């Protein structure tokens, strides 16, 4: 991708991943209600094998490799990326805090809240999680902010937005409408942080993006 389009294209990929996660929650809720919780694992195996088959057929072959390296050395080099690119630590810490802590805390607590306060079943929780489509659908635009040179500024705003969402949910946890709006806003903020973080990461090297992404 040309440098002027990298953020946009990363936004497309991350949006695809996010939509997959949201649909997985929604579908799992339906399957669990109809066939029990074990059935979703069997379905996951079937779908993963199907995806493996598609990847085997569709991923291009014969692409020249500029940097020949033994595979084990390639894997080990993932763990030394931070040494070669010290600035990536800032990206990792922010993303780890926002996704690893805030995101998981938000949705874990939300699941218990919906179950205990509103008596939602797994299907209803899955439907509620579709509020996260706001972030997925906005992914392309969010990546474009990085392409225009405003990534750092907006990433800061998005981080603040995730914290605002957490605080708001504490005060409005009794209103289902408020929680839906908060969840939608939270998803948008989360997507902004993730897309811009990856776009910033890929700027560090043109030849090690897969390894940088693995470390990420």
């Amino acid at each position: 991708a040309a440098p002027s389009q990298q953020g946009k294209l990363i936004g497309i990929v991350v949006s695809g991943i996010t939509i997959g996660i949201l649909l997985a929650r929604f579908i799992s809720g339906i399957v669990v209600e109809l066939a029990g919780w074990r059935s979703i694992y069997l379905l996951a195996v079937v779908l993963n094998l199907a995806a493996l088959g598609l990847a085997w057929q569709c991923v291009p072959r014969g692409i020249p490799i500029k940097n020949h390296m033994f595979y084990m050395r390639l894997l080990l080099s993932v763990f030394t990326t931070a040494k070669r690119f010290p600035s990536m630590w800032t990206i990792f810490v922010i993303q780890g805090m926002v996704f690893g802590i805030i995101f998981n805390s938000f949705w874990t607590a939300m699941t218990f809240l919906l179950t205990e306060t509103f008596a939602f079943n797994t299907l209803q929780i899955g439907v509620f999680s579709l509020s996260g489509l706001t972030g997925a659908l906005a992914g392309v635009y969010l990546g474009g902010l990085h392409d225009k040179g405003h990534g750092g500024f907006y990433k800061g705003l998005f981080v603040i937005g995730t914290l605002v969402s957490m605080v708001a949910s504490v005060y409005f946890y009794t209103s289902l409408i408020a929680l839906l709006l908060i969840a939608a806003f939270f998803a948008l903020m989360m997507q902004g942080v993730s897309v811009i973080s990856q776009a910033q990461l890929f700027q560090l090297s043109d030849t090690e993006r897969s390894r940088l992404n693995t470390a990420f």
Side-chain angles (χ1 to χ4, degrees):
S4 61
Q5 290 187 310
Q6 285 177 4
K8 177 182 177 181
L9 293 175
I10 290 170
I12 292 173
V13 174
V14 176
S15 291
I17 295 170
T18 306
I19 291 171
I21 292 171
L22 294 172
L23 290 180
R25 288 179 186 162
F26 176 63
I27 293 171
S28 64
I30 297 174
V31 173
V32 168
E33 285 297 313
L34 294 176
W37 66 268
R38 290 180 178 85
S39 59
I40 195 64
Y41 291 96
L42 178 60
L43 178 61
V45 170
V46 173
L47 291 176
N48 274 286
L49 289 174
L52 179 63
L54 284 172
W56 184 264
Q57 292 295 320
C58 299
V59 172
R61 292 173 174 81
I63 298 175
I65 299 175
K66 296 178 182 179
N67 184 16
H68 292 277
M69 186 184 295
F70 287 111
Y71 188 58
M72 187 55 65
R73 186 181 173 191
L74 185 67
L75 292 179
L76 290 174
S77 69
V78 170
F79 297 96
T80 61
T81 51
K83 184 178 180 180
R84 296 195 300 279
F85 307 104
S87 60
M88 71 190 295
W89 277 108
T90 304
I91 299 172
F92 280 11
V93 169
I94 292 174
Q95 182 68 13
M97 294 285 286
V98 171
F99 183 80
I101 298 176
I102 298 177
F103 177 84
N104 287 309
S105 298
F106 182 88
W107 280 109
T108 300
M110 185 67 74
T111 300
F112 283 111
L113 177 65
L114 294 174
T115 302
E116 296 174 7
T117 303
F118 298 97
F120 274 22
N121 57 32
T122 54
L123 174 57
Q124 291 169 317
I125 292 173
V127 173
F128 182 93
S129 70
L130 292 179
S131 59
L133 283 172
T134 53
L137 297 176
V140 178
Y141 174 74
L142 296 172
L145 296 175
H146 171 81
D147 294 334
K148 295 175 182 177
H150 308 308
F153 172 75
Y154 281 103
K155 182 177 174 180
L157 290 183
F158 294 146
V159 170
I160 294 170
T162 62
L163 298 174
V164 170
S165 302
M166 292 288 282
V167 173
S169 63
V170 172
Y171 289 98
F172 298 100
Y173 68 93
T174 57
S175 169
L176 187 59
I177 299 298
L179 289 175
L180 273 170
L181 294 175
I182 291 168
F185 179 75
F186 179 75
L188 183 62
M189 298 297 100
M190 273 297 312
Q191 192 79 341
V193 175
S194 296
V195 170
I196 293 175
S197 290
Q198 285 186 277
Q200 291 174 334
L201 188 70
F202 288 162
Q203 278 188 325
L204 299 179
S205 173
D206 291 334
T207 59
E208 299 184 60
R209 286 177 182 164
S210 290
R211 279 174 277 177
L212 289 171
N213 195 50
T214 300
F216 181 81

